Amino acid sequence: MTVADVLLLALGAIAVGSGALVVTSTHLVRSGFYLVVSLGAIAGLYLVLGAELVAWVQVLVYVGAVVVLLLFAVMLTRAPIGPSADLDRPALPAAVIGAGVGLGLTALFVDAFRWTRFPSPDPGTAERLGEQIFGAWVLPFEVLSILLLSALVGAIVLSRPDIGARKAEDA
Amino acid sequence: MPLWLDLLIRVAAVMAGFLVLPLVIGQAEHKVMAHMQGRVGPMYAGAFHGWAQLIADGVKFVQKEDITPRDADRTVFRLAPIVALFPYLVVILTIPLGPGLVAQSLDIGLFLVLAVLGIGVVAVLMSAWASANKYSLLGGVRGAAQLLAYELPLVLAAASVAMAAGTLSLPGIVEAWRPWWLIWQAPAAFIFFIAGLAEIRRPPFDMPIADSELVFGYMTEYTGLRFAFFLLAEYVGIVVIAALTTVLFLGGWHGPFEEQLGWLWTLLKIFALSFVIIWFRVSYPRLREDQLQRLCWLILVPLALAQLVLTAAVKSLL
């Protein structure tokens, strides 16, 4: 095993472990912090695989913004310190479904690739990524940005009663 | 030179810079603020104009009792100051002082810097929530809203200069820099500096701390060494924002005799900008929460977008 293999295994274990803690922890806000660790470990995986830019985008967008917004929303509503007993979690069916899907996917991948060796692709530098996104994949990229824009406009319409749907007593 | 020795020297140099520069800035703040307000500031520690005041403060902080509130989430509470300090340490690693004089040169150093600075929000939320204190929580929520908002103009302004230089590497940007960029990139420099001030929560953007209404915001419950860590993070933050503005917009090591004296020019520019940051604290009253958000979304973000258009236009004309 090379150093990269060891790092991949360790980071993968951290990502999966903290991911499991996110859903099993009874501490509401701590789940959010575990999510930070999990997403950070995934950024580490990208880094080991040579995709430097993707790794830092992951940190910038997910750790720095998405999880923070999530924590922000939790703290604005209810953020108890210590375990919450009233968290609703259908444990057994979820565990069965999750484990089943995980095992199935693992079997599928092992069967599909066996021990085939692939040459590792060129490192994902900013230049190569830019060429790919704005060359070969420019149409999906633009379609995605339109989707995000419409979601943004929708969020604004929903959150502003003065331009949203008419109230019940007016109708 | 063997690899380990090279590595050791780099790590030692970064640690030295990390420990010495904030102390110099902190001491300068004591003295500059005092003289601007018609006082003399610290005079006794170290016998000559109180030069050892911050060292004495450090010794004092070590002796103080380390209190964790009873209702706090202990683990998160203790971890928060370290998470607050860590991003700045990584950023200092990538800042070039002179030609070839950088601890770790990276192809996409600018992106790393912006990404890592974003982690600071997590530390604010951690300390705010784990303190089990209403003032802390209010300060933390204000802080998170402020940091998230101002990250946008910060990134857009940095993107403008990266577009102009055609590279994301910090030494690469300094090499591509020309004096006339001072005019071309002036709005971006202004936006970056203002947004940077807000990112490190310095006055006039200290609404999350606001000592007259929130005691001390998310740092209210901290004592002793952990509180000192937060203070250190604030002063390292000044160094980092001044250094990044220098490297991105003021030409870093460019100046007379830049081959030999490049590091001196960088340091001089960093200290000049730090002086301006201290000056801001003495001059301006704190921005109210709505004024602060208004400044960001209605002035800085549109300006930054306009600067991006201008940069692209000039770049394609050349």
Side-chain angles (χ1 to χ4, degrees):
Chain A
M1 282 219 290
T2 60
V3 179
D5 289 336
V6 175
L7 276 175
L8 276 182
L9 280 178
L11 284 168
I14 294 174
V16 172
S18 50
L21 281 173
V22 172
V23 285
T24 55
S25 169
T26 51
H27 295 61
L28 201 58
V29 180
R30 273 199 194 176
S31 297
F33 293 131
Y34 287 130
L35 199 58
V36 171
V37 177
S38 180
L39 291 169
I42 290 173
L45 285 177
Y46 291 142
L47 208 58
V48 175
L49 290 172
E52 238 184 311
L53 189 75
V54 182
W56 298 127
V57 170
Q58 165 95 3
V59 173
L60 186 69
V61 174
Y62 284 91
V63 177
V66 172
V67 182
V68 170
L69 276 181
L70 202 141
L71 285 173
F72 195 75
V74 171
M75 285 183 190
L76 279 179
T77 52
R78 188 181 67 144
I81 288 178
S84 318
D86 57 338
L87 287 182
D88 172 36
R89 50 177 86 249
L92 193 66
V96 169
I97 293 172
V101 170
L103 276 178
L105 277 177
T106 312
L108 201 71
F109 276 122
V110 168
D111 185 56
F113 295 106
R114 300 280 166 175
W115 293 106
T116 328
R117 284 184 168 272
F118 293 97
S120 61
D122 299 332
T125 56
E127 262 178 18
R128 212 168 73 96
L129 218 69
E131 273 168 13
Q132 290 286 321
I133 286 182
F134 296 107
W137 301 99
V138 70
L139 193 66
F141 179 78
E142 292 299 332
V143 171
L144 269 180
S145 66
I146 291 173
L147 177 73
L148 286 176
L149 187 66
S150 51
L152 210 65
V153 173
I156 292 172
V157 169
L158 282 180
S159 66
R160 282 186 58 179
D162 53 329
I163 56 169
R166 242 177 276 131
K167 282 187 205 108
E169 61 261 31
D170 300 347
Chain B
M1 195 153 41
L3 184 69
W4 64 268
L5 188 65
D6 186 51
L7 206 66
L8 200 71
I9 291 174
R10 281 162 194 264
V11 170
V14 168
M15 280 313 288
F18 188 66
L19 291 175
V20 173
L21 284 176
L23 285 188
V24 176
I25 304 283
Q27 183 69 19
E29 178 168 69
H30 274 311
K31 292 307 266 189
V32 169
M33 249 176 83
H35 283 287
M36 282 180 177
Q37 295 168 337
R39 302 181 284 125
V40 288
M43 285 303 276
Y44 296 101
F48 180 75
H49 285 268
W51 68 270
Q53 181 62 43
L54 285 188
I55 299 169
D57 276 349
V59 174
K60 183 189 75 183
F61 277 126
V62 173
Q63 296 169 29
K64 282 193 172 176
E65 187 185 354
D66 181 21
I67 298 170
T68 309
R70 194 191 59 211
D71 290 335
D73 189 317
R74 305 183 79 85
T75 333
V76 179
F77 185 83
R78 282 155 185 245
L79 218 58
I82 298 160
V83 179
L85 201 53
F86 170 75
Y88 294 124
L89 189 61
V90 176
V91 172
I92 285 201
L93 210 63
T94 63
I95 289 172
L97 272 185
L101 198 64
V102 55
Q104 183 59 53
S105 178
L106 292 166
D107 283 346
I108 53 168
L110 180 59
F111 226 93
L112 170 123
V113 166
L114 294 174
V116 170
L117 279 181
I119 297 178
V121 199
V122 179
V124 171
L125 280 179
M126 280 171 80
S127 56
W129 169 75
S131 298
N133 178 322
K134 292 235 165 16
Y135 293 121
S136 296
L137 191 61
L138 275 175
V141 172
R142 279 182 184 181
Q146 174 177 331
L147 292 183
L148 278 180
Y150 277 89
E151 204 166 318
L152 199 61
L154 191 82
V155 171
L156 287 175
S160 161
V161 79
M163 252 165 75
T167 172
L168 286 170
S169 134
L170 291 177
I173 289 174
V174 179
E175 260 160 39
W177 185 86
R178 296 286 169 273
W180 65 275
W181 287 24
L182 279 177
I183 300 163
W184 181 27
Q185 297 294 338
F190 167 76
I191 295 162
F192 188 87
F193 192 61
I194 300 287
L197 270 180
E199 283 287 312
I200 55 173
R201 287 140 268 155
R202 284 287 297 182
F205 299 101
D206 60 341
M207 203 63 193
I209 297 163
D211 45 349
S212 51
E213 44 187 295
L214 289 183
V215 189
F216 217 57
Y218 52 88
M219 295 184 265
T220 302
E221 295 290 350
Y222 283 88
T223 54
L225 210 53
R226 286 176 212 283
F227 181 67
F229 265 45
F230 273 119
L231 279 191
L232 184 63
E234 180 176 343
Y235 288 114
V236 184
I238 298 181
V239 177
V240 162
I241 292 301
L244 282 177
T245 314
T246 302
V247 167
L248 294 177
F249 297 102
L250 301 182
W253 63 71
H254 288 299
F257 306 106
E258 58 188 53
E259 285 302 315
Q260 294 83 33
L261 292 178
W263 56 273
L264 188 65
W265 293 119
T266 312
L267 281 181
L268 272 179
K269 288 171 187 174
I270 292 175
F271 282 130
L273 282 176
S274 307
F275 177 79
V276 175
I277 294 179
I278 295 167
W279 196 356
F280 265 52
R281 174 171 176 182
V282 190
S283 313
Y284 287 101
R286 181 182 308 132
L287 284 174
R288 218 169 51 216
E289 188 63 28
D290 61 319
Q291 294 169 330
L292 195 141
Q293 295 289 348
R294 198 169 281 273
L295 172 71
C296 176
W297 293 106
L298 294 184
I299 299 177
L300 292 187
V301 171
L303 252 181
L305 291 173
Q307 167 77 63
L308 272 182
V309 174
L310 175 75
T311 307
V314 173
K315 185 82 177 165
S316 56
L317 281 178
L318 285 178

